Amino acid sequence: MNILLLGSGGREHTLAWKMAQSPLLSQLYICPGNAGTQNVGRNVDFDYNNHEQLKAFVLAKNIDMVVVGPEMPLVNGIHDTIAADNELKHIAVIGPKKKGAQLEGSKDFAKRFMNKYHIPTAHHKTFDRFSVNDGIEFLKDIKSPYVLKADGLASGKGVIILDDLNEAIDTFQDILVGEKFGAAGNQVVIEEFLSGVELSVFVLTDGKSYVLLPEAKDYKRIGEGDTGPNTGGMGSVSPVPFADEKFLSLVKERIIEPTILGLQDEKIDYQGFIFFGLINVKGHPYVIEYNVRMGDPETESVMPRLKTDLVELFVATAKKNLQGFPVEIAPETAVTVMLVSKGYPDAYEKGKLISGLDQASDSKIFHAGTKATARGVETDGGRVIAISSQAKTREEALKQSFEVAEKVSFDGKYYRRDIGFDI
Ligand code: AMP
Ligand code: GLY
């Protein structure tokens, strides 16, 4: 079959690498892809948000399946558009329709969904510009630290945690009245702060059944020891030692299964990944957020552990045939170390030549933000290269990734040397 994968990051290179191993695959196209994806498929450049361009490509290349990497096209309804087009509606799409994508696209929707289906999450209230005063009173009533969340998609920057009440009140007004996040901040969720260790749990669902994929932990802060501003993710580890059988069975029983049943109850027909951003509060899992896609850089540690054919899994997902589907997971630990550009997550330069990409040894090099030019492979993003290694122990896997991290180089390279430090 012919598959079109949308996206351009480390997650997409990893998904492309994994799908490319499938005997079911004839041709894989990645739009727009990066310098890494072109080694496992064919990069194509058109505007996938433009329905006519997408349609022309899909028909010309006899695409059988579209796999959507990032959340934005899902929240904007790319699956709905394909399903509503008579000439395209036979094409399988991995990723939910607009309504299901609201689990990530609207924090308020996600909170109401969790409350309705008794899924454990932090206590919250939602406010808009007509209830600013109520929001200020609510902040005064709850304890510090204060968690403020812009309702809509805000490129991972929409969550602000503050210790000081006055600062929280100012920021709250800044989002609602000052439009700090534009339309994404038309509503603000204020919620109770939960204290614990975070982890990411992933499932692939056909809307009725689901398969559990390996869990992972990601390292979001730029600085070692989890300091400094949030990034897209500086590294990941899978499995997560505290996610033992007992904890994961609580996750299934209290979170995953009620979510799938809730989707059915809401008549949300969902085919794709669900990423549960969880926090372990004294042995009890709570949902911090839902995402309707895989995580990045979690994918880079999760997919190398998946032994099952991903294309077969996607076909079963699209055919609503996931019930009882056998999934084989490698017991080894996988770790990912992300090389980023100097300045990231603030302003950074692009176009730095990358060397040492042939020095991977037993590790895998997944491109996150790269571009092939006449000079060679150049940096093209804040997160540039993900180095994933697998070994019997976490220490051994980390050693391998750090060795490769030294050999791959570009001007301004930075990475965290403490991935996995806390587990
Ligand atoms: P989100 O974009 O919802 O994942 O939030 C970004 C980060 O903020 C999370 O990964 C957590 O570290 C933190 N966070 C969000 N909500 C809470 C909460 N209720 N309690 C503690 N930390 C939170
Ligand atoms: N690594 C977190 C995310 O993909 O949202």
Side-chain angles (χ1 to χ4, degrees):
M1 55 192 295
N2 297 324
I3 300 182
L4 170 65
L5 169 66
L6 306 182
S8 64
R11 167 183 50 216
E12 285 74 24
H13 186 189
T14 313
L15 292 173
W17 162 82
K18 182 69 186 155
M19 287 193 282
Q21 296 165 29
S22 173
L24 296 180
L25 185 71
S26 312
Q27 183 65 49
L28 174 64
Y29 298 93
I30 307 100
C31 179
N34 61 37
T37 57
Q38 69 181 13
N39 300 324
V40 285
R42 193 176 302 169
N43 287 353
V44 287
D45 199 11
F46 61 86
D47 177 10
Y48 60 67
N49 295 307
N50 178 311
H51 183 64
E52 291 312 314
Q53 287 188 33
L54 177 68
K55 181 170 178 174
F57 181 84
V58 162
L59 293 177
K61 301 294 182 188
N62 282 315
I63 298 295
D64 303 291
M65 177 183 282
V66 176
V67 178
V68 185
E71 65 279 11
M72 191 68 96
L74 295 167
V75 172
N76 290 340
I78 198 164
H79 189 159
D80 309 64
T81 319
I82 293 174
D85 186 313
N86 270 333
E87 287 171 89
L88 304 182
K89 65 182 181 198
H90 64 283
I91 292 166
V93 180
I94 300 300
K97 298 205 179 94
K98 201 167 181 165
K99 196 166 172 209
Q102 287 293 93
L103 281 181
E104 177 165 1
S106 165
K107 304 262 185 210
D108 178 58
F109 177 90
K111 296 298 288 192
R112 282 191 279 127
F113 180 89
M114 287 185 268
N115 289 337
K116 184 166 175 188
Y117 296 101
H118 309 290
I119 296 164
T121 187
H123 264 307
H124 89 290
K125 276 194 177 166
T126 303
F127 301 95
D128 62 18
R129 66 176 65 215
F130 304 106
S131 53
V132 174
N133 289 333
D134 297 339
I136 294 172
E137 288 310 310
F138 185 65
L139 282 169
K140 287 179 182 165
D141 282 344
I142 61 176
K143 275 188 288 180
S144 163
Y146 305 95
V147 183
L148 306 176
K149 300 187 172 186
D151 176 59
L153 291 183
S155 324
K157 298 196 168 72
V159 177
I160 301 175
I161 300 178
L162 296 163
D163 292 323
D164 182 70
L165 176 63
N166 289 324
E167 227 184 305
I169 291 174
D170 284 350
T171 307
F172 172 68
Q173 289 177 304
D174 217 20
I175 304 174
L176 277 181
V177 188
E179 299 186 8
K180 183 180 169 77
F181 297 115
N186 284 348
Q187 294 191 96
V188 174
V189 168
I190 301 179
E191 68 180 36
E192 142 200 49
F193 181 84
L194 297 175
S195 186
V197 191
E198 288 177 56
L199 83 159
S200 309
V201 169
F202 304 94
V203 303
L204 187 59
T205 180
D206 59 11
K208 299 180 297 180
S209 306
Y210 71 92
V211 295
L212 185 66
L213 299 171
E215 78 286 354
K217 188 172 187 334
D218 86 333
Y219 291 81
K220 286 205 173 86
R221 304 291 198 94
I222 188 76
E224 288 175 8
D226 285 342
T227 53
N230 262 328
T231 70
M234 296 295 292
S236 61
V237 174
S238 174
V240 179
F242 69 78
D244 54 16
E245 216 171 295
K246 184 170 165 226
F247 184 79
L248 286 176
S249 70
L250 287 178
V251 171
K252 284 186 210 168
E253 191 185 306
R254 295 183 186 170
I255 293 170
I256 299 175
E257 280 152 23
T259 298
I260 309 280
L261 288 173
L263 289 172
Q264 291 172 40
D265 206 56
E266 298 293 316
K267 308 246 175 324
I268 296 176
D269 187 26
Y270 194 117
Q271 285 86 45
F273 293 105
I274 307 178
F275 163 165
F276 300 85
L278 305 182
I279 190 160
N280 175 358
V281 184
K282 298 184 182 129
H284 297 279
Y286 285 74
V287 179
I288 292 276
E289 63 166 353
Y290 285 114
N291 294 305
V292 297
R293 51 170 174 87
M294 281 300 289
D296 195 352
E298 289 98 327
T299 306
E300 290 91 315
S301 290
V302 167
M303 286 299 154
R305 293 188 62 217
L306 179 69
K307 288 185 162 176
T308 311
D309 184 326
L310 185 60
V311 176
E312 263 185 52
L313 268 171
F314 283 160
V315 170
T317 301
K319 290 192 170 148
K320 303 189 187 182
N321 227 353
L322 271 185
Q323 171 126 44
F325 199 100
V327 172
E328 204 188 336
I329 308 293
E332 286 84 19
T333 293
V335 305
T336 299
V337 173
M338 189 67 83
L339 310 184
V340 307
S341 301
K342 182 176 164 199
Y344 176 76
D346 298 321
Y348 54 84
E349 287 179 34
K350 295 182 186 178
K352 310 288 185 192
L353 200 61
I354 308 173
S355 64
L357 290 170
D358 53 351
Q359 304 284 309
S361 313
D362 290 336
S363 303
K364 294 176 184 76
I365 291 184
F366 295 121
H367 292 224
T370 67
K371 190 170 161 183
T373 70
R375 290 201 307 155
V377 177
E378 294 180 3
T379 68
D380 195 40
R383 295 192 291 174
V384 178
I385 294 284
I387 301 165
S388 299
S389 310
Q390 240 175 313
K392 278 221 165 64
T393 65
R394 185 168 63 249
E395 290 70 23
E396 180 55 30
L398 282 166
K399 184 165 164 272
Q400 288 178 23
S401 276
F402 290 133
E403 271 170 25
V404 178
E406 276 306 302
K407 291 178 189 156
V408 174
S409 65
F410 54 87
D411 195 21
K413 173 184 79 177
Y414 166 77
Y415 60 95
R416 273 181 66 170
R417 288 157 209 265
D418 68 341
I419 300 305
F421 78 101
D422 55 342
I423 49 180

